[in-house]
Amino acid sequence: MGAGLPAKESNLFKLIVKSYETKQYKKGLKAADSILKKFPTHGETMSMKGLILNCMDRKAEAYELVRQGLKNDLKSHVCWHVYGLLYRSDREYKEAIKCYRNALRIDPENIEILRDLSLLQAQMRDLAGFVETRQKLLTLKPNQRMNWIGFTVAHHLNSNPRQAAEVLEAYEKTLEEDYPPENERYEHSEMLLYKISLLDECGDPERALDEVNKKAAKIVDKIALKEQCASLLLKLGRSEEAEATYQSLLAANPDNYRYYEGFQNCLGLSLESGKHSPENVNKLSSLYKSLYEQYPWSSAAKRIPLDFLEDDDFRNAVDIYARPLLSKGVPSLFSDLRPLYDHPGKADILENLMIEIESSLEKSGSFPGSSLKESPSTLLWVLFFLAQHYDLRGKHDIALGKIDDAISHTPTVIDLYLVKGRILKHAGDLTAAATLADEARSMDLADRYINSECVKRMLQADQVEMAEKTAVLFTKDGDQHNNLYDMQCMWYELASGESYFRQGSLGRALKKFLAVEKHYADMKEDQFDFHSYCLRKMTLRAYVQMLKFQDRLHSFPFFQKAAVGAIRCYLKLYDSPPKVAVEEEAGFMSLPSSERKKIRAKQRKLEARAKKEAEEKAKEGEAANVAATKSGKRGSQHSKVVDLDPDGEKLIQVEDPLAEATKYLGLLQAHSGQCLETHLLAFELNMRKAKILLTLQAVKRQLRVDPNDQEVHRCLIRFFNMVDSLPPPETPAEKLVHGVIEIERPSLGVPHGKPLLEVNESFLDRHRDSLVHRAAAAEMLFLLSPEKKAEAITIIENSVNNITPRGGVLGGAREWKLKNCIAVHKLLETTFHDPVAASRWRLHCADMFPFSTYFKGVKSSAVLGSVNSKICGNEDNGHLGKSHNETVDVLSNSVNGNAIDLKGLNISAPEESLQTC
């Protein structure tokens, strides 16, 4: 470093490097300027000065200096290394790797550059390169533990656990017999457990078990050691020893479900084809009786049998399980038993049991068959359970009756109002649901969960402004947007994005969806520091798990929803570009070339000025905050990030919306290929791009995921209708595409010579009992033969609302869903353009869904005089209409003072408002 400089300047250069490492940037700049006064073309000094400027948020100057320094000294590994560091700070990892490789060509044994390169290779999952770089580091510095561990992990990540285990064994041979010292016991223990897991992963459980027996004394984490030992014994078929190990684990933690599962496997009582055989059920029943006798305080020992018991055995077991929880008033009982509703017949047993308990409590105040008097609150929680039960089964009238009875019984329980709001949401009255949630929130202003639930209901009802005012009550200094973004509050961003999308505000919707995508990018970036930290601290098992988690990061539901929302926004922008933009573009293109250049230059100047002003304001705020902190007045100023595009106007001014949508579709296809919606969006996108083979690929993948879905049928008919309308192929490429489609036709259910009308008719015959399938068939009939519009509408109107048999999963629930009926109504209005038929459908559905505001049902808040309209304050302007604004005022005033005591704001709603609910 500092090549070509005299001694004095060489020492100054070392000072620059030290100042950069210790973050003394002003000192480093001063030293750099001193050198550049005498040697203005010294490349390494220019590069280091640029690196320091980059740390001071002067990126433009930094890049200019570093590039100039590199031009002045292309053969300096320092210049290339600094250029790589600059790219790394901007997350341009591919470019940074190129720079590091150029630096290594000049200085192939530079430890720092090799280490930095290995970190980037791990980040980018260049696993072959990662192994190669780590091997070089180990060769150069074999006396450093971190190099051995890094080489081991590199092999493991590169799908070579056997080689990784061999490297660890070679490292162990270099250690002394009395290793580890006291201060490294935990790190060495983690390394040994990691080695055991490697041996297990490479298919050698016997060797892994030998390692357990040899090194057990040096392993500190005894629970992890026992878990690994039990798993290995089970794999080796030593069931009795594995059983004893699992028993000791259960004695330590009798509520760990994984231990029960392992214990069952030891006894050969594992699942067969997703369920237990009758013989196994009897054995399991006896097993869990004995386990419950051993661990009577264990909730898992009582809950697990409910999954495999049937009929009377199930009824008795769930009765024993539920009674103490009802007596204690555990609100989560229904959530706990909710998975049982997926088992045929168990929902009916639960319903009959709870009705029997309700009747007994009302008559005698005790459980059936018991003489002990129960607390009056027990009946409340039975009603609470039944309300949620009937809500799940689609019987909203009965559900509301039960929850109203519970509220009359004890009107001060907040959970009752939340559940009533949830029932109204499912019944279709989103406005009343939001009002009930707000009422629950006003009863306990210090509860953040209830506040969040209220915000979610408001957003579902498209009350965005009110939701923002409510959310701001629990954010720092009332800064709602920045604070929620910094907290990565993705549920809020998704809910508000969906609300904006429904309201047609695409800019704001896109801003929210892209904010979620940015959070995932930040999560991916956050792993960078762990590549060196975990190797240093020897948390190897957790490190590998974290990397595997990162590899499937984009498969999580929040990202899927955000990506789907963003793609839909871009598709809508493509179909209906913003009118203002279209008009401006038309007027702009009609101007002479010289005028257009002037206007563009003026726009660039205005944007630059606005950006500069925003940056200056941000710097002023930061300086004021620093000054306030120094003067001891912390909290008096708060620097805020200035949002230059709060409404997302710039986001919707994209030149190619389909290109933007393609970016997110690629991530969905890579990580959510099992999701049907991914391929539906791929179809819509490629249809608009006229990519015929990609559209065909999307249809094939849809059929692979769910061949009976109505949306898949729509895509199939639309695709072949488009293909059949194309002119005869002329060019070789067109003929090739046409030939591929003709080959694929039979496999897609559209044989040669079979008209699409017949394909559509056969689809309708297979699904005559389903409303959504009939609607899809009717829509495709209208697409193929517009003159058959009346026949298509008749197909929809002749749909019969079948009832699921009592033995079914939902047992008597309505087959028609509210969202499907709404979709059919929109179809009649927008696609068929038949207001008369749409009106008939609305009237029909208003009777079927009396709480639906969309269909203006008689019991919804949309109809004056209904119960829900009174709840929402549409008539008497009661407490429920006032509580929100009053609460906002109370907390807004309190938020201005830094020491706000939220626990002291536990305000109960007035009796008058509770009677209204």
Side-chain angles (χ1 to χ4, degrees):
M1 290 188 295
L5 291 175
K8 181 181 177 183
E9 280 71 24
S10 183
N11 289 332
L12 278 174
F13 189 85
K14 291 176 184 177
L15 178 63
I16 297 172
V17 176
K18 187 177 180 181
S19 300
Y20 166 73
E21 291 172 350
T22 56
K23 298 183 179 181
Q24 295 177 313
Y25 301 131
K26 289 184 179 179
K27 190 175 179 181
L29 277 181
K30 188 176 179 181
D33 288 335
S34 298
I35 297 175
L36 291 173
K37 279 181 183 178
K38 291 185 180 180
F39 303 95
T41 60
H42 189 254
E44 292 183 358
T45 304
M46 294 176 77
S47 295
M48 284 305 302
K49 182 180 178 181
L51 188 60
I52 290 173
L53 288 173
N54 182 61
C55 297
M56 299 171 73
D57 292 328
R58 293 161 64 179
K59 287 191 177 293
E61 297 175 64
Y63 270 99
E64 187 179 347
L65 267 173
V66 171
R67 285 170 181 151
Q68 189 60 47
L70 189 60
K71 283 182 184 178
N72 293 341
D73 195 353
L74 271 173
K75 293 185 178 180
S76 167
H77 70 275
V78 174
C79 292
W80 282 110
H81 192 187
V82 168
Y83 202 18
L85 291 172
L86 209 60
Y87 274 124
R88 192 184 80 178
S89 69
D90 287 338
R91 303 185 185 182
E92 296 284 346
Y93 295 134
K94 289 183 179 179
E95 296 300 321
I97 287 174
K98 290 178 186 176
C99 293
Y100 290 156
R101 290 196 181 281
N102 285 331
L104 288 171
R105 287 192 186 99
I106 301 164
D107 187 2
E109 295 187 356
N110 189 298
I111 298 294
E112 288 184 8
I113 299 174
L114 283 168
R115 191 183 299 119
D116 285 349
L117 176 61
S118 72
L119 298 180
L120 286 185
Q121 288 169 329
Q123 180 78 5
M124 298 297 292
R125 301 298 190 271
D126 176 12
L127 301 178
F130 185 39
V131 172
E132 182 186 349
T133 306
R134 276 290 163 189
Q135 187 172 13
K136 284 182 182 177
L137 282 166
L138 180 59
T139 306
L140 292 169
K141 291 281 186 180
N143 58 336
Q144 289 188 2
R145 182 185 69 180
M146 188 172 170
N147 289 339
W148 285 95
I149 301 304
F151 191 38
T152 301
V153 172
H155 275 301
H156 186 195
L157 295 176
N158 201 32
S159 303
N160 196 350
R162 189 174 297 280
Q163 186 69 36
E166 290 174 3
V167 173
L168 266 187
E169 284 185 346
Y171 170 63
E172 283 186 282
K173 290 176 183 177
T174 67
L175 302 176
E176 299 174 1
E177 289 185 7
D178 59 346
Y179 190 85
E182 184 64 26
N183 62 334
E184 294 185 18
R185 284 177 58 235
Y186 295 99
E187 295 175 5
H188 188 67
S189 169
E190 281 297 311
M191 188 194 77
L192 293 175
L193 284 169
Y194 179 59
K195 181 184 175 184
I196 292 165
S197 68
L198 284 174
L199 292 170
D200 184 17
E201 192 175 328
C202 65
D204 199 347
E206 191 166 352
R207 191 174 160 202
L209 190 60
D210 289 341
E211 193 71 18
V212 168
N213 295 329
K214 288 178 186 176
K215 305 292 174 61
K218 292 186 176 182
I219 295 175
V220 179
D221 190 346
K222 299 301 180 184
I223 296 295
L225 179 65
K226 279 187 179 181
E227 290 174 351
Q228 188 73 59
C229 184
S231 175
L232 292 169
L233 288 168
L234 195 57
K235 286 180 181 179
L236 291 168
R238 294 159 65 174
S239 301
E240 292 182 3
E241 296 174 67
E243 182 183 337
T245 308
Y246 275 118
Q247 281 182 330
S248 66
L249 286 168
L250 281 171
N253 184 1
D255 279 315
N256 190 312
Y257 278 62
R258 289 189 296 110
Y259 296 165
Y260 286 100
E261 184 182 353
F263 192 49
Q264 286 178 206
N265 293 335
C266 293
L267 300 173
L269 300 175
S270 55
L271 290 171
E272 298 174 7
S273 303
K275 63 180 182 178
H276 293 284
S277 62
E279 296 81 9
N280 280 1
V281 169
N282 293 331
K283 291 178 182 177
L284 283 168
S285 181
S286 302
L287 170 66
Y288 277 95
K289 281 180 184 175
S290 64
L291 287 170
Y292 178 58
E293 289 172 2
Q294 282 182 267
Y295 314 113
W297 63 89
S298 169
S299 175
K302 291 187 288 183
R303 174 61 183 83
I304 293 172
L306 302 183
D307 291 325
F308 59 78
L309 293 175
E310 301 287 344
D311 303 326
D312 290 340
D313 291 333
F314 169 74
R315 179 189 171 89
N316 295 333
V318 77
D319 190 12
I320 293 169
Y321 181 74
R323 284 190 184 192
L325 299 179
L326 291 170
S327 296
K328 292 177 183 176
V330 177
S332 60
L333 175 61
F334 181 80
S335 299
D336 184 13
L337 300 181
R338 171 63 184 84
L340 299 175
Y341 283 70
D342 296 330
H343 298 251
K346 290 190 177 181
D348 290 333
I349 294 173
L350 279 168
E351 181 176 321
N352 294 332
L353 174 65
M354 289 297 169
I355 290 173
E356 184 181 330
I357 291 174
E358 178 193 15
S359 177
S360 178
L361 288 170
E362 287 177 342
K363 289 178 182 176
S364 62
S366 57
F367 284 116
S370 173
S371 58
L372 294 174
K373 293 291 182 182
E374 291 293 322
S375 167
S377 65
T378 306
L379 176 60
L380 166 73
W381 296 111
V382 173
L383 293 169
F384 185 70
F385 183 97
L386 281 170
Q388 295 174 86
H389 165 84
Y390 286 120
D391 176 40
L392 180 63
R393 309 194 90 186
K395 301 177 181 178
H396 303 301
D397 274 324
I398 304 175
L400 285 168
K402 294 296 180 184
I403 202 67
D404 283 337
D405 289 344
I407 290 172
S408 300
H409 184 284
T410 311
T412 55
V413 177
I414 301 173
D415 299 86
L416 304 180
Y417 300 93
L418 288 177
V419 166
K420 184 173 182 180
R422 197 173 300 135
I423 295 168
L424 287 170
K425 183 199 80 167
H426 296 154
D429 197 337
L430 299 175
T431 306
T435 305
L436 261 296
D438 193 33
E439 174 65 11
R441 182 194 62 78
S442 68
M443 295 169 70
D444 187 357
L445 300 176
D447 193 313
R448 188 170 195 155
Y449 167 76
I450 298 174
N451 184 274
S452 299
E453 190 79 4
C454 177
V455 170
K456 189 185 294 184
R457 293 284 171 266
M458 288 173 173
L459 290 172
Q460 288 165 349
D462 293 335
Q463 300 171 359
V464 181
E465 290 184 11
M466 191 177 289
E468 289 181 353
K469 290 178 181 177
T470 307
V472 81
L473 300 175
F474 278 87
T475 57
K476 190 175 181 181
D477 293 339
D479 183 6
Q480 183 260 332
H481 292 288
N482 289 333
N483 197 249
L484 287 174
Y485 177 82
D486 292 339
M487 290 192 298
Q488 298 185 342
C489 190
M490 289 186 278
W491 69 263
Y492 173 82
E493 288 165 335
L494 286 172
S496 56
E498 288 163 1
S499 178
Y500 282 130
F501 183 80
R502 287 191 297 269
Q503 296 176 68
S505 181
L506 294 183
R508 292 180 177 179
L510 202 50
K511 192 174 182 68
K512 295 297 182 183
F513 292 136
L514 296 186
V516 175
E517 189 272 336
K518 179 66 167 57
H519 295 326
Y520 276 85
D522 290 340
M523 289 180 208
K524 192 172 182 181
E525 171 66 18
D526 287 343
Q527 69 177 302
F528 188 86
D529 292 333
F530 291 97
H531 298 311
S532 57
Y533 175 83
C534 291
L535 298 182
R536 191 168 66 253
K537 293 295 184 181
M538 299 290 282
T539 55
L540 304 177
R541 291 178 301 151
Y543 174 57
V544 172
Q545 287 176 2
M546 184 270 291
L547 293 181
K548 290 179 179 178
F549 164 80
Q550 288 281 352
D551 289 339
R552 55 189 177 86
L553 191 63
H554 290 103
S555 65
F556 284 84
F558 275 6
F559 178 81
Q560 290 176 11
K561 289 179 182 178
V564 167
I567 292 169
R568 285 179 174 165
C569 287
Y570 285 124
L571 291 177
K572 204 163 185 178
L573 281 172
Y574 176 81
D575 294 338
S576 306
K579 291 182 180 179
V580 177
V582 173
E583 291 167 2
E584 286 180 356
E585 184 66 21
F588 182 75
M589 294 307 294
S590 65
L591 294 172
S593 176
S594 59
E595 291 294 324
R596 291 203 298 268
K597 287 180 181 178
K598 288 180 182 177
I599 292 172
R600 283 199 183 102
K602 189 176 181 180
Q603 286 176 345
R604 282 195 293 268
K605 285 181 182 178
L606 290 172
E607 288 175 4
R609 188 185 301 166
K611 186 176 180 181
K612 188 177 180 181
E613 288 176 358
E615 288 174 354
E616 286 174 356
K617 286 181 181 177
K619 286 179 181 178
E620 286 174 8
E622 188 176 350
N625 199 26
V626 170
T629 305
K630 287 181 178 178
S631 64
K633 298 178 181 178
R634 294 186 64 183
S636 60
Q637 295 287 339
H638 179 65
S639 60
K640 299 179 182 179
V641 178
V642 179
D643 190 352
L644 301 177
D645 187 24
D647 297 328
E649 292 298 326
K650 291 182 181 177
L651 292 174
I652 61 176
Q653 302 299 331
V654 289
E655 293 182 7
D656 190 354
L658 296 185
E660 295 296 321
T662 304
K663 297 177 187 176
Y664 301 104
L665 179 64
L667 288 170
L668 286 178
Q669 288 175 324
H671 299 280
S672 303
Q674 77 288 353
C675 181
L676 179 61
E677 194 162 23
T678 298
H679 307 303
L680 293 174
L681 289 172
F683 175 86
E684 296 295 341
L685 184 58
N686 290 310
M687 278 283 281
R688 287 164 173 79
K689 294 169 71 175
K691 301 285 187 181
I692 296 177
L693 288 182
L694 289 177
T695 309
L696 174 64
Q697 182 189 66
V699 172
K700 288 188 69 176
R701 288 176 175 174
Q702 290 170 16
L703 289 167
R704 198 179 303 141
V705 174
D706 189 355
N708 295 314
D709 188 86
Q710 70 279 1
E711 295 299 333
V712 175
H713 176 70
R714 282 188 173 98
C715 292
L716 182 71
I717 298 298
R718 284 173 58 198
F719 174 72
F720 281 106
N721 184 53
M722 179 268 293
V723 168
D724 294 344
S725 64
L726 292 174
E730 296 179 358
T731 65
E734 289 175 351
K735 290 177 181 177
L736 182 62
V737 170
H738 182 76
V740 171
I741 294 171
E742 291 304 308
I743 292 170
E744 294 289 345
R745 261 185 189 268
S747 64
L748 298 177
V750 187
H752 298 289
K754 187 174 182 179
L756 291 177
L757 283 170
E758 288 186 22
V759 175
N760 192 53
E761 184 65 31
S762 62
F763 175 82
L764 179 61
D765 289 338
R766 292 197 306 272
H767 303 285
R768 284 195 176 276
D769 295 333
S770 169
L771 170 65
V772 291
H773 290 81
R774 290 177 73 94
E779 184 183 353
M780 293 303 100
L781 175 62
F782 180 58
L783 173 69
L784 298 170
S785 299
E787 70 277 3
K788 294 184 179 181
K789 174 180 174 180
E791 181 183 340
I793 292 174
T794 303
I795 290 172
I796 295 175
E797 292 184 332
N798 286 346
S799 302
V800 178
N801 186 13
N802 294 317
I803 304 298
T804 307
R806 295 291 293 178
V809 173
L810 289 179
R814 183 181 287 122
E815 189 267 340
W816 285 11
K817 303 298 180 187
L818 175 60
K819 65 176 182 179
N820 295 334
C821 291
I822 291 173
V824 170
H825 182 264
K826 290 179 179 177
L827 180 70
L828 292 169
E829 274 190 329
T830 57
T831 302
F832 287 96
H833 300 290
D834 193 325
V836 177
S839 179
R840 288 198 302 268
W841 185 259
R842 180 185 286 278
L843 290 172
H844 181 56
C845 292
D847 293 336
M848 192 175 299
F849 302 100
F851 295 95
S852 169
T853 51
Y854 182 88
F855 292 118
K856 295 183 173 60
V858 293
K859 297 181 181 179
S860 74
S861 60
V863 177
L864 291 176
S866 68
V867 175
N868 286 352
S869 70
K870 294 176 182 176
I871 285 178
C872 293
N874 291 345
E875 293 188 351
D876 56 8
N877 195 25
H879 168 74
L880 283 169
K882 295 179 181 177
S883 61
H884 177 267
N885 291 331
E886 289 174 356
T887 308
V888 168
D889 292 339
V890 169
L891 276 182
S892 295
N893 292 334
S894 301
V895 150
N896 292 330
N898 294 315
I900 176 170
D901 183 11
L902 289 175
K903 292 183 178 179
L905 293 174
N906 192 349
I907 302 171
S908 298
E911 186 179 346
E912 175 185 334
S913 68
L914 298 174
Q915 291 171 353
T916 310
C917 273

